[in-house]
Amino acid sequence: MHKNKDGINIYDNEAYEGIKKACEVASKTLDMIVDHIEPGVTTEQLDKKCHDFILAHNSLPATLGYRGYPKSSCISLNHVVCHGIPSNKRLKNGDILNIDVTCILDGWYGDTSRMFTVGDISLKSKRLIEITYDALQLAIKSVIPGKTFGDLGAIIQEYVEKNKMSVVRDFCGHGIGSEFHQAPNVLHYGNRNSGPRLESGMCFTIEPMVNIGRPETKILSDSWTAVTRDKSLSAQFEHTVFVKKEGCEVLTQSLNNTFFPQGAKLHHNSV
């Protein structure tokens, strides 16, 4: 492992193998939680299941105690954009939620999040989830050495805004691997041909947050929960990707194919 001229870690094959194993635990955690999401369940109960599953796989939840964060996952419901703290709030029919987990395995980090639905959701919720998922897949398709991080942000922004939704500016993806958060910041908006160039050996998350309404957010009094200022619905999907000579590998792919929302256009197999 070494840093390039932009201060971004370039990982070797040994590091790749370690990060991949951590990512697999994170992805399996979200595969597991699918069957437990139903009306009446609290977000705290879901967090406990994630916590126990991560520990059972010889891993640690990276969020627990991180800068004082109190839980093993982030669960963001409806108009919560990100960093929702699991609580005694019960899920109800029509809710949409993002569950975000990061696992530490043998010192390596793997990070992923995806959207889940409770019972019958509205058509606008369904469309928001599909647009967010497709925006992520379009960006992943463009992770090729020589492209720039600005290219990825522009692709997401153009697709989302073409569909009359907005990209959150206040949060971004990040380098990951030997640490939870490291260079670079991966913006989900921006200009093509700007920012550092992608190189083989880079590892980072892409995690667009998309709002039905305006992009502005605010942080609640718990100092963590970010919500849409206009109370519009928000969605997010996140993958950890590893840049290779010919493109990239998604390290947090769902093993039971539950990452892919029905109706989305870009199935991961086509990326």
Side-chain angles (χ1 to χ4, degrees):
M1 182 180 82
H2 66 276
K3 289 189 187 297
N4 73 357
K5 63 181 177 58
D6 297 302
I8 300 169
N9 282 344
I10 305 298
Y11 290 106
D12 57 21
N13 197 55
E14 184 183 348
Y16 157 78
E17 294 292 346
I19 299 166
K20 185 173 183 176
K21 285 175 183 164
C23 285
E24 283 173 358
V25 177
S27 194
K28 284 177 181 173
T29 305
L30 297 187
D31 285 350
M32 171 277 300
I33 208 67
V34 174
D35 293 336
H36 301 283
I37 292 172
E38 58 187 15
V41 171
T42 69
T43 54
E44 203 158 43
Q45 287 171 324
L46 296 176
D47 179 76
K48 173 92 169 58
K49 288 193 181 296
C50 290
H51 175 88
D52 292 347
F53 186 91
I54 291 166
L55 293 188
H57 286 75
N58 303 314
S59 298
L60 294 171
T63 57
L64 186 60
Y66 180 77
R67 296 183 180 170
Y69 187 80
K71 297 292 182 179
S72 297
S73 64
C74 297
I75 303 183
S76 303
L77 202 58
N78 296 324
H79 73 293
V80 178
V81 175
C82 61
H83 305 156
I85 301 174
S87 68
N88 60 3
K89 188 172 181 64
R90 295 188 182 277
L91 300 182
K92 61 184 190 303
N93 187 61
D95 282 342
I96 63 171
L97 62 153
N98 175 277
I99 303 181
D100 189 340
V101 295
T102 305
C103 297
I104 313 170
L105 178 62
D106 299 329
W108 300 106
Y109 288 75
D111 188 1
T112 185
S113 84
R114 64 180 89 149
M115 295 300 294
F116 299 88
T117 60
V118 185
D120 299 314
I121 64 167
S122 68
L123 284 175
K124 68 177 183 178
S125 296
K126 185 171 179 288
R127 187 163 177 272
L128 169 66
I129 289 170
E130 290 165 2
I131 296 299
T132 308
Y133 174 89
D134 285 340
L136 170 62
Q137 295 298 335
L138 282 169
I140 289 171
K141 215 170 180 178
S142 297
V143 176
I144 300 163
K147 292 260 193 179
T148 69
F149 282 96
D151 293 334
L152 305 184
I155 284 163
I156 291 168
Q157 182 182 4
E158 288 163 12
Y159 183 76
V160 169
E161 292 179 355
K162 184 180 77 176
N163 283 282
K164 306 290 189 282
M165 296 181 190
S166 64
V167 177
V168 171
R169 309 300 206 262
D170 299 335
F171 303 94
C172 61
H174 51 90
I176 191 168
S178 55
E179 298 168 76
F180 193 171
H181 296 100
Q182 54 194 29
N185 288 334
V186 182
L187 304 181
H188 304 117
Y189 62 94
N191 300 311
R192 291 176 188 268
N193 207 29
S194 67
R197 293 206 174 272
L198 303 178
E199 295 178 43
S200 180
M202 286 181 175
C203 187
F204 53 87
T205 70
I206 309 176
E207 46 185 295
M209 287 148 264
V210 175
N211 299 344
I212 280 184
R214 293 185 55 80
E216 292 83 10
T217 68
K218 66 177 180 179
I219 309 287
L220 300 187
S221 58
D222 62 21
S223 300
W224 282 103
T225 307
V227 300
T228 54
R229 277 193 175 273
D230 62 6
K231 296 189 168 59
S232 65
L233 291 172
S234 187
Q236 178 189 21
F237 284 91
E238 174 185 15
H239 270 317
T240 296
V241 300
F242 196 95
V243 185
K244 298 196 159 181
K245 286 190 177 71
E246 66 288 349
C248 79
E249 181 179 348
V250 176
L251 300 183
T252 45
Q253 207 67 270
S254 167
L255 300 180
N256 67 1
N257 204 27
T258 52
F259 194 97
F260 175 69
Q262 293 302 316
K265 295 180 181 66
L266 294 165
H267 199 288
H268 70 254
N269 288 339
S270 68
V271 170

